[in-house]
Amino acid sequence: MDHTKLLCDISELNHLFRDSVSVESFLQQITEMVSKHMKTEVCSIYLYDDDGEILTLKATKGLNHEMIGKITLALGEGLTGISLKELRPINISNATQHPDNKLFWGTGEQKYENFLAVPIARGVERIGVLVLQRAQSYTFSDSDILACKAVASQLANIIENARFIISMHSDHEEKSRSLVKKQSRLIHGKVASEGYCLGETLVLDKEKTFNSLLKRRFTRHYTIKDFKNAVKQTANQLEDMQEEVEEKLSDAASLIFASHLLILKDHEFIGQMESMIAMGTNPPQAILQIAKKYMDIFEKAQNVFVREKVQDIEDLTVRLISNITYDQEIISSYKGKVVIARDIFPSELLKMTSEKIGGIILVSGGVTSHLSILASSLAIPMVIANDLTLLDVENKTKVLLDADTGNIYLKPNQDVIDEFQRRNKQREKISQLDHNVKSETKTKDLQKITLLANINLLSDISLAKKVKCEGVGLYRTEFPFIVRNNFPSEQEQYITYRKLITSMKGQPVIFRTLDVGGDKMLSYYHNTIEQNPAIGMRSIRFSLENKEVFIQQIRAILRAGEGEELKIMFPMISSIDEFDAAKNIVLECIESLRNESEEFNSKPAIGMMIELPSVIELIDDFAKEADFFSIGTNDFIQFMLGVDRTNEKVASFYMPYHPSVLRAMKTIVESVQAHGKEISVCGSMSSDKKYIKFLLGIGLKVLSVSPSHLPRIQKVINSITISDAQAYATQLISKNRACDIAKLMGIQDSV
Ligand code: PEP
Ligand code: MG
């Protein structure tokens, strides 16, 4: 039987669901669709209730409808129960004779011999069973089973989500809610920043908080004195928070709360509130009305800078109201919370860090996006789960965020928590071992490999040193720019860069010049909205377009590098012309510093990142121009394969093991080394154990990795011989299909 039609219809399930008035009617439509296609007299769906461990008939085409909701089976009871218990399809041609079959009188199923049950499950989570029955003696074929499995797998997702969605528009609202309340739920996402946290959820929906405040009636009347006290108290709190963040993150946190404080001290803003209060308006109402007025004005100008200001006002208003009413419930403390959000600004992430947030679940974004990188630097566990229903989870729901595996357990039961805590103890032991790294990394046949660290914020340095990196292979200078409210001055940059250089005590440091744009927008820069920011005015293009900013940065780097081994690296170079233009600016800065009394490094090595496919054809020529190279695999893969690295929906197409990626990397490494120049890899591929053997096999001797991965990578390198690695790389490269390479690498190919 050709199942193409059914498989096409399955992809329509989501629509079918949206148009249904209830879960029951949706399930009923499914049973009709499947039975029609599979030419069976009966198709039924049973749903499983985890708490009672009971399967209940929820929809059927072919059995007596009066039995819906009445037929129940225990897990493991009858063929249907066994199928769910053992999570496997059961296909029987003479069901009525089967000893495990359980027939229900009144359903009319005694006449059906042919039986197929397919479990509906997500991983090991049991959701229900899809059952097909037919009168004539006929065995369902493998392709029938496959088609039913596809239906079951789609149903699993929809039914899981349905419990949330349906509660919004069905008259079974309370019933569904209580179901949701009781049930634990496992959602699998992608790890963006490793770690774990057991805490309570906090859905970040500031708009909702603000809107509910707008609707609130403040019965108590407050005075102008109360208002002034609240303003003062809010300012004190903001200043304290600012101080605390700065202590921890000196390079990044400068003036994070500055715009809040500025708004708070703005005479217009506060003055208008005071006038309203003087005319008799209750202060909370006055705060809300004026704040709303400002937000409406800002909201109209559709750009990131302004959007962030709207959030600042929202945040500030909530703080003010909380301080005037002494209602601490209004303001959400992030402490220990697992925040669920659609999007978070980098500066917000820092604010959350200052309040010791427990973890983050983002419902959009990509694992190599810069928010993920920042979260890693801040040691905040973060998982990206493409599941919008997470935004409907009630606040204060218990959640276990396992950001080592990407698993999110909502309302985990005690067994899960116990198992998790046992694993944690083990993990702590292992991580102590992890710090027993050697200061030099060698392969099994004693070839030296240099492991450098990727640094995003100065707070990364202590771990980088603990794991004995041999220098910094990538300092992403943009992070201090991204999390601020304005461009840092040359002097501010100098202080940060000098701190990095001196703390690395004579080890080399590669400064990657400003790499903004794409998913690293500067909120304070008046970016024009671009259709495709990843290939827009970003990175080195931004620096060459904004020469003043670039010159300040280069001067700060040259001054900070005085007396040390200094390397400057340009990101996203697409042509030799561009490399020349950037290099010329460095030379001009050296010239102008010579005429000043400042001390500086006049002989930095000048290198470039390889992130764009256009470099491959010109690699021999580039190798003559640049002093060193580093392959930024995050962008290189993105542009080689045309896959947005920040879009989780296309994550399965983002294949580091794609033959073109592997072959191009080999070509690049060989060409650069033939010219006697140094080349490293600094994208996520070098922090991933799976790819190390290949990287060594194509001749790489220097890898720059995120510090938390360094011990693991060192161990992997210790177990590899170069000759084995070379043979392995040759074998991989001989294949022309990603699936074949994936198989050789032990990767589950997802496309
Ligand atoms: C890369 O693209 O691999 C890289 C290291 O740069 P970033 O991740 O900062 O874009
Ligand atoms: Mg990059």
Side-chain angles (χ1 to χ4, degrees):
M1 195 182 290
D2 177 12
H3 296 305
T4 323
K5 164 105 180 40
L6 178 64
L7 294 176
C8 289
D9 289 347
I10 294 168
S11 61
E12 296 293 309
L13 283 186
N14 264 313
H15 294 283
L16 209 60
F17 172 65
R18 251 177 264 140
D19 298 339
S20 319
V21 289
S22 68
V23 180
E24 285 78 7
S25 78
F26 164 69
L27 295 178
Q28 192 56 40
Q29 280 172 281
I30 299 297
T31 56
E32 278 159 28
M33 181 177 105
V34 177
S35 87
K36 182 168 167 218
H37 174 83
M38 301 296 285
K39 301 196 172 57
T40 59
E41 283 92 339
V42 180
C43 174
S44 311
I45 293 175
Y46 294 76
L47 288 192
Y48 182 61
D49 176 357
D50 227 351
D51 278 355
E53 298 200 341
I54 288 267
L55 263 168
T56 309
L57 177 70
K58 289 287 180 185
T60 182
K61 158 80 181 47
L63 298 185
N64 180 355
H65 272 219
E66 281 178 13
M67 303 309 275
I68 291 178
K70 292 189 187 132
I71 291 188
T72 57
L73 287 160
L75 189 64
E77 188 184 359
L79 295 171
T80 307
I82 294 173
S83 164
L84 188 65
K85 183 169 183 206
E86 297 178 4
L87 292 176
R88 64 179 175 93
I90 292 186
N91 182 11
I92 308 274
S93 52
N94 55 345
T96 56
Q97 313 297 319
H98 199 282
D100 287 329
N101 196 9
K102 188 164 171 155
L103 292 173
F104 286 93
W105 300 104
T107 56
E109 63 179 336
Q110 297 82 320
K111 50 182 183 280
Y112 303 119
E113 283 298 346
N114 209 209
F115 177 97
L116 173 65
V118 176
I120 305 170
R122 279 199 354 171
V124 291
E125 198 186 348
R126 296 177 171 85
I127 293 168
V129 186
L130 177 71
V131 176
L132 297 183
Q133 288 167 293
R134 209 177 347 219
Q136 83 224 69
S137 185
Y138 162 93
T139 312
F140 288 100
S141 68
D142 285 350
S143 82
D144 295 339
I145 298 176
L146 267 181
C148 288
K149 274 176 146 179
V151 176
S153 127
Q154 288 282 338
L155 277 177
N157 285 324
I158 296 173
I159 294 171
E160 259 309 88
N161 296 341
R163 293 177 166 136
F164 287 87
I165 301 165
I166 215 77
S167 67
M168 293 195 296
H169 60 82
S170 101
D171 48 11
H172 303 297
E173 189 166 343
E174 269 320 300
K175 207 170 122 202
S176 307
R177 275 196 197 287
S178 68
L179 193 64
V180 170
K181 271 198 192 115
K182 271 194 285 162
Q183 267 172 351
S184 55
R185 200 174 153 212
L186 168 65
I187 297 137
H188 192 70
K190 287 244 159 71
V191 177
S193 166
E194 287 183 5
Y196 51 88
C197 169
L198 177 63
E200 286 181 348
T201 55
L202 171 66
V203 179
L204 197 65
D205 197 343
K206 290 194 189 139
E207 214 179 311
K208 217 161 149 188
T209 316
F210 189 83
N211 286 341
S212 72
L213 277 181
L214 276 180
K215 285 187 207 130
R216 186 159 156 173
R217 291 170 63 105
F218 295 90
T219 42
R220 209 189 123 185
H221 201 87
Y222 299 90
T223 63
I224 184 82
K225 196 165 162 234
D226 294 329
F227 172 74
K228 286 191 169 156
N229 283 340
V231 172
K232 208 160 144 200
Q233 199 183 341
T234 307
N236 289 343
Q237 284 166 352
L238 291 169
E239 275 158 5
D240 286 351
M241 278 159 65
Q242 177 65 38
E243 222 170 88
E244 200 184 312
V245 191
E246 265 178 42
E247 226 170 79
K248 269 194 252 146
L249 300 159
S250 60
D251 52 338
S254 166
L255 303 180
I256 285 229
F257 295 99
S259 69
H260 288 61
L261 282 162
L262 273 179
I263 301 166
L264 201 56
K265 287 175 184 161
D266 182 85
H267 291 303
E268 272 286 297
F269 185 72
I270 295 296
Q272 288 187 36
M273 291 177 185
E274 285 177 347
S275 310
M276 279 187 78
I277 297 166
M279 309 261 290
T281 310
N282 198 6
Q285 227 70 57
I287 296 169
L288 285 164
Q289 277 186 36
I290 299 299
K292 180 86 178 73
K293 185 172 126 189
Y294 274 73
M295 283 164 60
D296 286 347
I297 297 169
F298 285 154
E299 233 153 31
K300 286 199 184 97
Q302 285 279 310
N303 90 27
V304 184
F305 166 76
V306 178
R307 242 178 45 215
E308 202 160 339
K309 294 297 151 250
V310 170
Q311 294 227 354
D312 286 349
I313 297 181
E314 233 164 39
D315 196 30
L316 188 64
T317 310
V318 174
R319 281 178 198 283
L320 275 171
I321 304 266
S322 154
N323 283 331
I324 204 164
T325 57
Y326 286 100
D327 183 350
Q328 292 306 317
E329 287 285 300
I330 299 177
I331 196 152
S332 358
S333 159
Y334 294 121
K335 192 163 180 202
K337 294 274 165 58
V338 173
V339 167
I340 304 177
R342 204 183 281 268
D343 198 8
I344 291 177
F345 290 114
S347 55
E348 275 181 300
L349 191 61
L350 286 190
K351 282 174 215 159
M352 293 171 181
T353 312
S354 73
E355 286 189 41
K356 301 192 180 62
I357 184 183
I360 295 180
I361 300 169
L362 275 195
V363 297
S364 66
V367 290
T368 63
S369 79
H370 288 84
L371 197 78
S372 311
I373 295 172
L374 188 60
S376 299
S377 278
L378 297 167
I380 301 173
M382 180 162 127
V383 167
I384 297 177
N386 209 343
D387 184 342
L388 287 177
T389 62
L390 277 164
L391 293 170
D392 299 325
V393 172
E394 279 178 34
N395 280 341
K396 295 195 180 160
T397 301
K398 198 168 198 173
V399 58
L400 197 159
L401 179 68
D402 182 353
D404 285 338
T405 59
N407 283 342
I408 303 162
Y409 301 86
L410 284 173
K411 298 183 192 135
N413 56 36
Q414 197 52 42
D415 290 351
V416 175
I417 296 175
D418 290 347
E419 169 61 17
F420 176 76
Q421 278 165 346
R422 188 189 61 75
R423 255 195 352 183
N424 257 359
K425 284 205 185 105
Q426 264 182 356
R427 193 166 11 198
E428 273 158 25
K429 272 193 215 145
I430 293 168
S431 80
Q432 277 160 9
L433 276 182
D434 261 5
H435 293 163
N436 286 337
V437 279
K438 298 179 218 99
S439 47
E440 262 203 340
T441 306
K442 292 205 168 129
T443 57
K444 201 170 168 189
D445 51 344
L446 304 180
Q447 300 286 315
K448 165 125 180 65
I449 304 293
T450 304
L451 287 185
L452 304 173
N454 288 353
I455 300 285
N456 306 321
L457 292 173
L458 294 187
S459 53
D460 294 329
I461 299 173
S462 74
L463 181 59
K465 293 184 70 135
K466 214 188 253 170
V467 298
K468 304 193 182 115
C469 71
E470 295 187 58
V472 174
L474 171 69
Y475 172 42
R476 290 182 164 102
T477 58
E478 57 276 10
F479 279 102
F481 282 74
I482 295 171
V483 295
R484 282 169 190 249
N485 291 304
N486 211 335
F487 285 108
S489 66
E490 180 184 321
Q491 189 59 15
E492 277 175 312
Q493 292 180 60
Y494 164 77
I495 293 169
T496 303
Y497 302 161
R498 187 70 196 167
K499 265 191 204 157
L500 172 62
I501 291 236
T502 48
S503 47
M504 293 316 293
K505 294 203 182 81
Q507 291 183 321
V509 175
I510 299 181
F511 283 83
R512 197 259 304 268
T513 62
L514 200 57
D515 185 21
V516 291
D519 68 328
K520 295 178 276 192
M521 301 297 269
L522 297 180
S523 60
Y524 45 87
Y525 178 78
H526 296 272
N527 310 282
T528 42
I529 305 275
E530 295 180 294
Q531 282 282 343
N532 296 300
I535 47 174
M537 184 46 71
R538 61 169 292 197
S539 207
I540 195 68
R541 295 174 197 160
F542 177 95
S543 295
L544 293 173
E545 180 87 1
N546 296 277
K547 284 214 176 67
E548 283 317 304
V549 176
F550 194 36
I551 288 171
Q552 276 192 0
Q553 178 175 48
I554 298 292
R555 284 172 58 93
I557 296 175
L558 291 170
R559 286 172 52 209
E562 193 269 320
E564 305 288 340
E565 185 179 345
L566 178 65
K567 294 179 161 184
I568 299 176
M569 175 164 77
F570 306 128
M572 297 277 296
I573 291 287
S574 66
S575 65
I576 299 181
D577 316 54
E578 214 167 33
F579 180 79
D580 287 343
K583 184 174 169 179
N584 283 338
I585 289 187
V586 178
L587 299 179
E588 281 164 25
C589 288
I590 291 176
E591 250 343 277
S592 69
L593 280 165
R594 254 193 242 290
N595 301 326
E596 297 170 26
S597 54
E598 297 284 357
E599 292 189 314
F600 71 102
N601 187 320
S602 62
K603 289 201 166 45
I606 301 179
M608 58 178 266
M609 294 195 70
I610 299 176
E611 296 175 289
L612 293 172
S614 64
V615 173
I616 307 169
E617 283 294 314
L618 284 170
I619 190 64
D620 272 319
D621 306 78
F622 272 115
K624 291 178 202 144
E625 304 291 333
D627 296 329
F628 66 94
F629 296 83
S630 192
I631 308 177
T633 51
N634 301 341
D635 276 313
F636 189 66
I637 297 163
Q638 156 163 271
F639 294 118
M640 278 291 284
L641 306 181
V643 181
D644 181 352
R645 69 191 254 192
T646 68
N647 183 349
E648 205 42 41
K649 281 194 199 129
V650 290
S652 59
F653 298 95
Y654 188 93
M655 291 177 279
Y657 53 88
H658 189 291
S660 301
V661 172
L662 301 188
R663 290 185 193 185
M665 286 179 74
K666 185 168 188 278
T667 307
I668 291 165
V669 173
E670 283 173 356
S671 304
V672 170
Q673 288 177 342
H675 287 85
K677 302 281 172 75
E678 190 173 281
I679 181 158
S680 62
V681 173
C682 63
S684 303
M685 214 168 154
S686 58
S687 294
D688 190 332
K689 290 198 290 193
K690 291 194 289 294
Y691 300 113
I692 300 302
K693 195 165 173 186
F694 169 77
L695 297 178
L696 301 195
I698 57 169
L700 282 153
K701 300 270 180 288
V702 187
L703 303 178
S704 191
V705 304
S706 62
S708 59
H709 290 83
L710 194 146
R712 272 176 261 170
I713 298 300
Q714 185 177 69
K715 261 193 209 134
V716 174
I717 294 175
N718 294 157
S719 69
I720 295 173
T721 64
I722 293 291
S723 53
D724 273 0
Q726 283 167 342
Y728 177 70
T730 309
Q731 190 192 12
L732 295 185
I733 274 174
S734 70
K735 305 285 173 203
N736 58 13
R737 285 191 171 76
C739 61
D740 292 336
I741 301 178
K743 226 178 270 162
L744 287 171
M745 289 185 136
I747 298 168
Q748 227 181 350
D749 186 32
S750 38
V751 172

